[in-house]
Amino acid sequence: MAENLSYLQSKSAAYMWEHFGQVTFADENFAREIMQLFSTGLVKLNLDGTPTLESGNTVAVYTNDDVMSFARVWTGFDYERRRGNIEGCSF
């Protein structure tokens, strides 16, 4: 999944500035997918599962600022080297 959503080996803004002098932003794809598909969804729901409405419009669960904040959390993930004491065992 990491390869498809491009958060694998993504670099934080601080790392890119310190090492390359580039102003960048964390990749938001993974954060947006987690929030939309696996946790909150797009709209706030009532206890019965119907969308919450304000003035006839649905209420968003999160803003783009929330997505940007979560994107900062998921930077720096990389492949883990195999550990011979666990992955190499056959039970």
Side-chain angles (χ1 to χ4, degrees):
M1 185 169 171
E3 294 90 350
N4 296 332
L5 294 175
S6 69
Y7 83 98
L8 181 69
Q9 298 177 336
S10 67
K11 306 291 187 259
S12 71
Y15 176 87
M16 293 301 288
W17 176 252
E18 290 171 6
H19 289 74
F20 303 105
Q22 297 176 349
V23 177
T24 62
F25 296 94
D27 188 331
E28 297 173 6
N29 290 338
F30 186 66
R32 197 173 303 281
E33 291 293 325
I34 289 293
M35 294 172 80
Q36 286 179 4
L37 299 175
F38 303 113
S39 61
T40 61
L42 292 172
V43 296
K44 186 175 181 179
L45 301 177
N46 295 313
L47 290 176
D48 64 358
T50 59
T52 301
L53 300 176
E54 285 185 7
S55 303
N57 298 318
T58 58
V59 178
V61 177
Y62 54 86
T63 65
N64 198 55
D65 289 337
D66 297 324
V67 173
M68 291 172 63
S69 295
F70 277 100
R72 287 188 215 113
V73 173
W74 286 300
T75 58
F77 283 91
D78 204 349
Y79 290 109
E80 184 68 33
R81 293 190 340 219
R82 288 178 55 98
R83 297 176 296 170
N85 63 335
I86 296 177
E87 284 84 1
C89 296
S90 57
F91 294 98

